[in-house]
Amino acid sequence: QVQVVESGGGLVQAGGSLTLSCTASGLTFDDYIMGWFRQAPGKEREGVSCISWSGRNTYYADSVKGRFTISRDNRKNTLYLQMNSLKPEDTAMYYCAAALALTTDWGTPPASADFHYWGQGTQVTVSS
């Protein structure tokens, strides 16, 4: 049984930092492209960042480029999202997800439908 569990969310002031973690079990972690998505109340789910199994390819939404860094440790079956210079508009539920392949190019937003396994989410709230 596959389990995807996020952690690390919380309340932070604007300009602050948080690191999200995601641990996946029940799957061969380094077979999967891993991604972070977020959804704010009343808004559509947005692909924030993705990383290939090797870490060689990454994607970042324009809104987070230069502020967020995605990484993975395949030995620990863990995905990370380092978030710096946080803004109130980063407030959302953040979800970790796993995909075997992408139907989109690495330079374009990922399709949620490509991701088979999802976590329950971790809330990030940035106060102004």
Side-chain angles (χ1 to χ4, degrees):
Q1 182 178 356
V2 175
Q3 285 192 316
V4 178
V5 180
E6 304 95 337
S7 62
L11 173 63
V12 64
Q13 287 189 331
S17 299
L18 281 175
T19 300
L20 304 184
S21 298
C22 166
T23 301
S25 60
L27 52 72
T28 304
F29 188 73
D30 56 9
D31 279 350
Y32 284 81
I33 296 161
M34 298 299 296
W36 289 100
F37 291 77
R38 67 185 180 186
Q39 188 166 20
K43 294 189 177 181
E44 291 188 357
R45 185 164 52 190
E46 172 191 22
V48 175
S49 185
C50 296
I51 187 168
S52 61
W53 68 269
S54 67
R56 192 169 296 128
N57 294 308
T58 57
Y59 163 83
Y60 293 96
D62 287 343
S63 57
V64 307
K65 277 181 184 175
R67 300 188 298 121
F68 290 12
T69 302
I70 193 170
S71 62
R72 64 190 295 164
D73 186 338
N74 290 340
R75 296 168 301 174
K76 296 182 179 180
N77 282 19
T78 302
L79 175 73
Y80 303 98
L81 186 68
Q82 174 68 44
M83 305 186 295
N84 298 326
S85 302
L86 282 161
K87 305 175 180 180
E89 51 264 43
D90 294 318
T91 295
M93 185 72 78
Y94 283 70
Y95 299 93
C96 172
L100 284 172
L102 298 181
T103 57
T104 55
D105 294 332
W106 280 97
T108 58
S112 298
D114 290 341
F115 290 78
H116 309 289
Y117 302 111
W118 292 80
Q120 294 298 306
T122 186
Q123 178 67 38
V124 171
T125 302
V126 184
S127 63
S128 57

